Amino acid sequence: MDFLKRILVPLLVCGMLAPASGSSHEYQIKAAFIYNFLRYIEWPTERNAYSVGILGEDPFEGGLEQFQKKPLGGKNITVKMVKSAKEARGCDVLFISATEADKLDGTLAALKGAPVLTISDLPSFTDHGGQIGFTTERNRVRFIVNTDALSASELKASSNLLKLAILKGG
């Protein structure tokens, strides 16, 4: 119950549980989710800072840059645009934009096994091997976690995060 209070109260304050109506508002919600994913994912080695990359056009319209002003657990967060999967291997988190749909399978193949948390709102993202895919159900933003893809990259999601997710995989 304590975990639910710690995650649900900030989500309510940030508006993350509000209906996903406008595109801008929807991406504010998704940005808040990404920020919180950093709290509940464990990488195979300790991080001194977090690097969040965006591959393709930035649907957040710079909204992820607010992370750089909000260190998480004393760790700074940098946000950068990346041009390729090779460059994305240096990130802890990678958001793959819809403009990269035609390259998705190649991008995910190039990142396979790398400790990079892949996130997108492309349809069937987790079916293609992505780790966290955003979806909208009943006009609310939700997320799907592909547990097999996480394990293959040696990333671990806390049980508390998985309780809130739609699970795919073993």
Side-chain angles (χ1 to χ4, degrees), residues 1 3-19 25 28-29 32-33 36 39 140-141 164:
M1 182 58 117
F3 165 76
L4 289 176
K5 285 181 185 175
R6 282 196 320 264
I7 196 162
L8 291 178
V9 171
L11 295 180
L12 289 168
V13 171
C14 292
M16 289 177 59
L17 296 179
H25 181 68
Q28 289 174 350
I29 293 168
F33 268 113
N36 280 292
R39 295 176 191 261
R140 296 195 186 278
V141 175
L164 299 174

Side-chain angles (χ1 to χ4, degrees), residues 73-90:
K75 299 173 185 174
N76 290 328
I77 302 169
T78 59
V79 177
K80 62 183 180 178
M81 300 299 295
V82 296
K83 294 181 171 63
S84 67
K86 182 178 179 182
E87 185 181 350
R89 289 182 77 88

Side-chain angles (χ1 to χ4, degrees), residues 3 6-7 9-11 13-16 26-43 49-54 60 62-79 92-95 117-119 132 134 141 143 158 161 164:
F3 165 76
R6 282 196 320 264
I7 196 162
V9 171
L11 295 180
V13 171
C14 292
M16 289 177 59
E26 179 178 339
Y27 280 96
Q28 289 174 350
I29 293 168
K30 291 174 182 178
F33 268 113
I34 292 170
Y35 181 79
N36 280 292
F37 292 155
L38 291 170
R39 295 176 191 261
Y40 299 104
I41 297 292
E42 182 182 319
W43 279 263
Y50 295 108
S51 175
V52 177
I54 302 169
F60 300 96
L64 292 182
E65 291 172 6
Q66 66 182 320
F67 295 176
Q68 297 177 137
K69 297 174 187 162
K70 294 182 184 178
L72 184 63
K75 299 173 185 174
N76 290 328
I77 302 169
T78 59
V79 177
D92 298 306
V93 175
L94 177 67
F95 182 85
L117 179 65
T118 56
I119 304 171
I132 298 180
F134 287 116
V141 175
F143 61 98
S158 80
L161 178 70
L164 299 174

